[in-house]
Amino acid sequence: MSDENKAAEAANATEFMAKLVALCKRRGIIFQSSEIYGGFNGFWDYGPYGTPMRRSIGNLWWKYMVEDRDNVEGLDSSIICHPSVWRASGHVDHFSDQMTDCKDCKKRWRVDQLPVPGECPACGSHNLTEPRDFNLMMRTYVGPVFDEDHIAYLRAETCQPIFVDFNTIRVAARQQLPFGIAQIGKAFRNEINPRNFTFRSREFMQMEMEFFCKDEGSLDWFEYWRHERWNFYTKILHIPEEKLRWKWHEKLAHYAKQAVDIEYLFPFGWDEVEGIHHRGTWDMSQHALFSKQEAQCKYFDAETKEAFYPTVVETSCGLDRISLMVLCNAYDEDTAATKKEGKEEDARVVLHLTPMIAPVQVAVLPLSKKLEAPAREVQKALRQACFRTEYDDTGSIGKRYRRQDEVGTPFCVTYDFDSENDHAVTVRNRDTMAQERVPLADLSAKLFAWIHA
Ligand code: GAP
């Protein structure tokens, strides 16, 4: 690609991201934490529309990975655990990136993210400090004394408590190998350079599943989970296959037999949303070494009468990163019919979110404020049927459609003056903008079928 084309592509990506970030703020989807203090780099808040969207994605993951399987159990561990956990995992000594400072403009960079090695991307200076290691673990103190002996860490990944709790969970759930343990929760990393909206944050949600099995056959399990995870993105979240790809790790950790990432084509380029890792027996043997509780970290095979460290296959993704992916995938600008004077069509911004994760699944819009009472009854019935609903009676119907399009509402139900007589409403489809008259008696069933299609 020529330099000119590259520059044009970068400008398009910047413009796209600027529009998405602006929409997310304006409509209360995602915005900077502590904005009235100027924001806090790498920390984000989810508003009234972002919260249900992120939760729904998390719920879909939980159902797919835990509830729909007999061989995966759930965990919700504390964020802070014994500091030795992070010594055993290697995070205290080795979880670092190399950073460098520009001596001229004073900006700080991750060495592996410099587009031109040795050159500051902000001012072009080559006057950079020698690279040095920077540990990403976030520290705090536990107890009344703030000294080295009381340092604790905010977890940098959600999987370590899974390894530590392996035997307790196995016994409680009466599981035999092979089986998995899954967790959704916060993780914290003191990233040198948070960037690309929520893509690289300092506080984020991870969704991880650790699958414990015998070493023999573990590569088959790796293949199994790799395909399961691909299906989650394509069949559950409806991400087009052509926007996803595999990225195999060339350099493997010494204990790993295989590792691959699933990447998505973000506006700023291909980048990772999930890693599927063969972790060997590394984690379990490390925790045995540091805790001296070997029996808790091994599995006793009743048939062979042998105890051994289970091999682990991990699926690890970021809920915020997936949320960003679905927003990037859903954002669109097109035109819609308008009743504005002198215009037949008007520009509209629309999020083509898959209905299962749309913050509002059905908006109820009475044609006139006079129809509030029966329209509220429709909303009440839809809420009871477990749809996420919103009621809106302000502004013209066209403006109300635009408002719902912007937050990705797949269906708008209009209650009009005919509804009183024909006991039916008009359902408008966000994507096709087609309208269909639906009897009130069939409304819930039809919406259910469309939303779960
Ligand atoms: N337990 C393995 C592990 O944590 P990782 O590749 O460091 O592996 C897994 O992280 C996933 O967590 C990534 O694919 C990404 O989706 C998410 N993630 C990691 N760092 C992140 C960050 N700073 N901000 C947002 N998401 C992040």
Side-chain angles (χ1 to χ4, degrees), residues 278-306:
H278 185 290
R279 296 179 72 122
T281 55
W282 165 257
D283 302 281
M284 299 311 286
S285 53
Q286 280 295 104
H287 286 300
L289 188 69
F290 277 72
S291 69
K292 302 190 174 50
Q293 300 285 326
E294 201 178 275
Q296 292 286 316
C297 302
K298 279 189 165 173
Y299 175 77
F300 181 73
D301 189 328
E303 269 176 32
T304 61
K305 308 277 182 250
E306 263 182 322

Side-chain angles (χ1 to χ4, degrees), residues 95 156-157 159 189 191 198-202 204-206 208 210 272-275 277 279 314 316-318 320-321:
F95 192 51
E157 55 182 13
C159 61
R189 295 182 189 179
E191 297 284 356
T198 57
F199 182 86
R200 193 170 298 289
S201 308
R202 289 179 165 142
F204 55 97
M205 300 280 283
Q206 270 192 327
E208 298 196 290
E210 309 300 317
E272 174 189 337
V273 285
E274 168 147 359
H277 310 124
R279 296 179 72 122
E314 169 184 79
S316 172
C317 55
D320 301 274
R321 214 172 262 190

Side-chain angles (χ1 to χ4, degrees), residues 10-119:
N12 284 344
T14 308
E15 192 194 345
F16 180 97
M17 288 309 291
K19 284 189 205 167
L20 182 66
V21 171
L23 174 74
C24 284
K25 179 178 174 188
R26 185 160 52 79
R27 297 311 313 273
I29 300 171
I30 308 172
F31 39 87
Q32 274 224 312
S33 156
S34 320
E35 274 208 314
I36 63 166
Y37 291 97
F40 201 33
N41 199 7
F43 297 90
W44 300 93
D45 293 345
Y46 286 68
Y49 292 110
T51 309
M53 185 195 74
R54 183 170 67 167
R55 273 204 188 156
S56 310
I57 299 171
N59 290 344
L60 285 179
W61 185 89
W62 191 257
K63 179 163 163 44
Y64 182 81
M65 294 296 285
V66 183
E67 288 174 358
D68 287 352
R69 299 172 196 270
D70 290 326
N71 61 352
V72 179
E73 305 292 342
L75 170 70
D76 193 353
S77 76
S78 63
I79 284 173
I80 295 176
C81 42
H82 196 290
S84 294
V85 169
W86 303 106
R87 286 189 202 107
S89 67
H91 281 77
V92 172
D93 290 334
H94 304 295
F95 192 51
S96 49
D97 284 331
Q98 287 218 309
M99 69 173 179
T100 179
D101 292 311
C102 174
K103 290 185 195 161
D104 292 330
C105 74
K106 312 290 178 217
K107 289 233 160 73
R108 178 162 289 172
W109 305 102
R110 235 173 89 169
V111 173
D112 63 345
Q113 284 172 357
L114 290 176
V116 180
E119 183 179 294

Side-chain angles (χ1 to χ4, degrees), residues 226-270:
R226 186 166 81 80
H227 287 107
E228 288 293 277
R229 296 306 304 146
W230 183 267
N231 288 343
F232 176 74
Y233 293 108
T234 54
K235 300 209 164 76
I236 309 278
L237 295 184
H238 300 291
I239 302 295
E241 299 233 353
E242 62 274 16
K243 285 194 176 174
L244 294 169
R245 74 175 185 190
W246 298 109
K247 172 125 187 262
W248 291 91
H249 291 207
E250 279 163 20
K251 250 176 72 186
L252 292 178
H254 65 89
Y255 49 80
K257 286 193 179 150
Q258 203 50 278
V260 69
D261 295 337
I262 295 178
E263 291 192 336
Y264 172 76
L265 183 55
F266 286 95
F268 43 84
W270 288 100

Side-chain angles (χ1 to χ4, degrees), residues 75 77 160-170 181:
L75 170 70
S77 76
Q160 291 304 324
I162 293 180
F163 302 131
V164 173
D165 291 346
F166 160 75
N167 203 44
T168 307
I169 292 173
R170 190 191 69 73
I181 303 176

